[in-house]
């Protein structure tokens, strides 16, 4: 069995490794490390109906419009990545979001699918698929 060392994982350009670093950086709240996984011309799409719906560009644009806002509106927002399906530059991740809405105190635990396209060691596209009604329910008093 061929194991990847932590050092190899940290610098690997393999699409799944880049995506995994993005999840780890997000969970740690390390926006600088998260931005390092994103291409300068990244297109990051949050699903229609999701509170942050839209397409965001540039690493700074993505973290400001998505991660910083999630941190402001939710306690302990985490994407728990559990299953990776990889084909070439495409990485699909099945995961779940957990968090507690700061305004209502209501928790969420909802399944999600993410589709990433990774080229030259950077995420160039992201698209989110989630049950937006469950997220919105947690935001409603």
């Amino acid at each position: 069995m061929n194991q990847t060392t932590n050092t190899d994982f940290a610098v690997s350009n393999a699409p799944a490794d880049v995506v995994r670093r993005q999840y780890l950086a997000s969970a740690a709240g390390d926006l600088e490390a998260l931005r390092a996984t994103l291409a300068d011309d990244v297109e990051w799409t949050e699903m229609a109906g999701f509170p942050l719906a839209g397409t965001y560009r540039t690493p700074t644009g993505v973290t400001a419009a998505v991660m910083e806002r999630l941190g402001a509106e939710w306690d302990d927002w985490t994407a728990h990545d559990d299953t990776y399906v990889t084909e070439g530059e495409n990485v699909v991740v099945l995961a779940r979001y957990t968090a507690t809405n700061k305004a209502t105190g209501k928790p969420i635990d909802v399944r999600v699918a993410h589709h990433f396209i990774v080229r030259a060691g950077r995420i160039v596209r992201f698209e989110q698929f989630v049950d937006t009604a469950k997220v919105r329910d947690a935001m409603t008093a």
Side-chain angles (χ1 to χ4, degrees):
M1 184 167 156
N2 205 0
Q3 279 191 312
T4 302
T5 66
N6 287 340
T7 304
D8 293 339
F9 170 78
V11 297
S12 169
N13 282 343
D17 289 344
V18 173
V19 169
R20 180 69 178 136
R21 283 197 305 272
Q22 178 273 149
Y23 281 107
L24 292 171
S26 179
D30 187 345
L31 298 184
E32 183 178 336
L34 194 153
R35 284 189 289 270
T37 67
L38 304 176
D40 291 341
D41 60 348
V42 65
E43 290 184 6
W44 186 280
T45 302
E46 298 286 324
M47 188 170 176
F50 190 69
L52 306 177
T55 298
Y56 306 98
R57 291 173 176 80
T58 78
T60 301
V62 169
T63 55
V66 179
M67 290 73 183
E68 290 179 23
R69 285 182 56 199
L70 288 172
E73 298 172 12
W74 298 85
D75 284 323
D76 302 319
W77 182 277
T78 305
H80 306 269
D81 53 321
D82 57 46
T83 302
Y84 283 63
V85 180
T86 304
E87 182 177 316
E89 63 187 14
N90 291 282
V91 180
V92 174
V93 180
L94 304 179
R96 89 185 149 48
Y97 291 149
T98 59
T100 302
N101 185 265
K102 290 181 180 183
T104 66
K106 291 182 182 179
I108 60 164
D109 186 340
V110 63
R111 291 296 286 166
V112 60
H114 293 152
H115 175 219
F116 296 87
I117 298 176
V118 180
R119 290 189 189 123
R122 296 285 184 267
I123 297 165
V124 296
R125 279 200 190 76
F126 165 87
E127 188 174 8
Q128 169 205 59
F129 302 90
V130 65
D131 184 342
T132 58
K134 287 188 176 188
V135 176
R136 290 201 175 272
D137 285 349
M139 299 176 74
T140 305

